[in-house]
Amino acid sequence: MGAGCLDGMLASPLPALNDAEGAAVPPGLPPVVDAHVHAFPERVFEALWTWFEENGWPIRYKLRAEAVVDFLLGRGIEHLVLLHYAHKPGMARQLNRFVAGFCEGRARVTGLATVMPGEPEAGAILEEAFALGLGGVKLHCHVQCFAPDDAALDEVYRTCARFDRPLVMHAGREPKSPAYKCDPHAICAASRVERVLRRFPDLRLCVPHFGADEYADYRRLLDRHDNLWLDTTMLVAGYFPGDVPWELVTARPDRVMYGTDFPNLPYAWDRELRILVERGLPPDDLARILGGTARDFFRIPSPGG
Ligand SMILES: [Zn+2]
């Protein structure tokens, strides 16, 4: 894969893997935080799954938000970060209230907010969401059709920095699907993300999926910018074509966090967890990737502390 992969990782829908799943988190692991879990109201989930099955991959776990949380916590995941995003203006407030209400009373769940960049009152929408207890923001360049360095984002970046809330932004150009309304390869680039990191040094930014597929560029950005993090979501599964960017994992475990994209998966819920464990990383590095880095980034209190 790489620059030659013009059609993207999702040029056509991918198959389900009928891999075996574990009954629980493997024994003896440090506390595991899943930093990338999705929760939507049921109607939105249904629409999303239809889109995925037509354009992405079959969904193995069609679970509602409550069942998503019960499933993962019940199998030994210590803490979850719930992400969602708005597909059009005027949706964010309702989605944010849904997630905030859902997280109330659930100490082991951190919910993030969303907003449509450039929509009226974008900053106020986020302020309201933070006041409701949401612990950060999620944006998705492909779905929401914006470039990371678009001026419409400035208000979002400023608000996150001012309230010290982290931002998770799907700013890598993959997995690209021809079904998106915009071309992710035209709007997403590591160089655009670097512009943001430079302009907003107080913004803490996580780019999911290792910034696929510009791995070498993101490796350099990690060393140049202390305000950048990456997550592993779906990219250690060996599901997409191309090699797993292990050099990012081993070089900066302090800036890489484990995430899954559960429940929107075509394979076993713990596939990537087992692959990371079997990799034989130094125990301290594994503990950071599986939980420590996400705890720092989202300011999640230690279990029992
Ligand atoms: Zn995701």
Side-chain angles (χ1 to χ4, degrees):
M1 216 203 25
C5 185
L6 292 177
D7 294 333
M9 286 175 168
L10 293 177
S12 53
L14 296 169
L17 302 185
N18 292 309
D19 54 338
E21 62 175 40
V25 168
L29 286 188
V32 178
V33 176
D34 188 335
H36 193 133
V37 179
H38 285 291
F40 293 92
E42 195 176 5
R43 272 177 308 113
V44 183
F45 250 150
E46 299 274 351
L48 204 66
W49 292 333
T50 301
W51 187 93
F52 265 102
E53 301 209 318
E54 282 168 7
N55 304 294
W57 49 80
I59 303 294
R60 180 148 157 182
Y61 302 95
K62 290 187 178 169
L63 302 175
R64 299 173 58 166
E66 189 142 321
V68 165
V69 169
D70 290 348
F71 185 102
L72 293 176
L73 295 183
R75 279 161 181 74
I77 300 293
E78 180 66 34
H79 197 100
L80 313 178
V81 181
L82 294 184
L83 279 50
H84 64 117
Y85 40 82
H87 303 73
K88 53 184 188 225
M91 257 181 101
R93 274 195 169 100
Q94 198 190 344
L95 288 172
N96 291 340
R97 283 191 200 118
F98 168 80
V99 174
F102 184 80
C103 292
E104 226 174 84
R106 288 182 163 98
R108 291 163 66 193
V109 178
T110 297
L112 301 195
T114 194
V115 71
M116 196 65 192
E119 76 174 291
E121 298 187 75
I125 289 170
L126 292 182
E127 282 190 43
E128 281 167 35
F130 299 155
L132 292 174
L134 295 180
V137 176
K138 161 75 189 230
L139 299 177
H140 197 311
C141 294
H142 304 192
V143 175
Q144 298 180 311
C145 284
F146 64 85
D149 56 348
D150 190 317
L153 273 289
D154 285 7
E155 190 177 10
V156 176
Y157 297 145
R158 268 198 306 270
T159 308
C160 285
R162 184 153 63 92
F163 288 84
D164 191 29
R165 295 297 201 286
L167 171 65
V168 178
M169 180 166 66
H170 189 136
R173 54 191 201 168
E174 289 288 342
K176 165 187 165 171
S177 164
Y180 288 128
K181 292 191 188 82
C182 49
D183 177 2
H185 282 236
I187 56 175
C188 293
S191 55
R192 292 178 186 265
V193 170
E194 179 158 37
R195 224 167 283 155
V196 175
L197 294 168
R198 278 192 207 288
R199 285 190 57 221
F200 299 90
D202 295 332
L203 173 73
R204 291 181 294 125
L205 175 67
C206 175
V207 177
H209 317 292
F210 289 125
D213 58 344
E214 297 175 288
Y215 305 124
D217 296 293
Y218 277 96
R219 170 76 191 86
R220 277 189 292 274
L221 290 192
L222 278 182
D223 279 341
R224 273 191 221 144
H225 301 281
D226 290 338
N227 52 344
L228 174 66
W229 283 256
L230 304 176
D231 85 20
T232 64
T233 301
M234 288 196 82
L235 264 292
V236 295
Y239 181 68
F240 297 112
D243 296 331
V244 173
W246 285 110
E247 69 283 0
L248 282 165
V249 180
T250 49
R252 295 308 299 261
D254 59 326
R255 301 281 199 82
V256 170
M257 54 190 106
Y258 167 71
T260 60
D261 248 338
F262 191 84
N264 302 333
L265 296 178
Y267 47 67
W269 69 276
D270 58 339
R271 179 182 180 85
E272 295 192 284
L273 182 58
R274 284 181 282 117
I275 290 172
L276 280 165
V277 170
E278 284 158 16
R279 185 73 183 176
L281 300 166
D284 285 354
D285 290 358
L286 184 65
R288 279 179 190 274
I289 293 160
L290 292 186
T293 303
R295 278 182 195 289
D296 291 346
F297 184 70
F298 292 106
R299 310 229 197 277
I300 300 167
S302 293

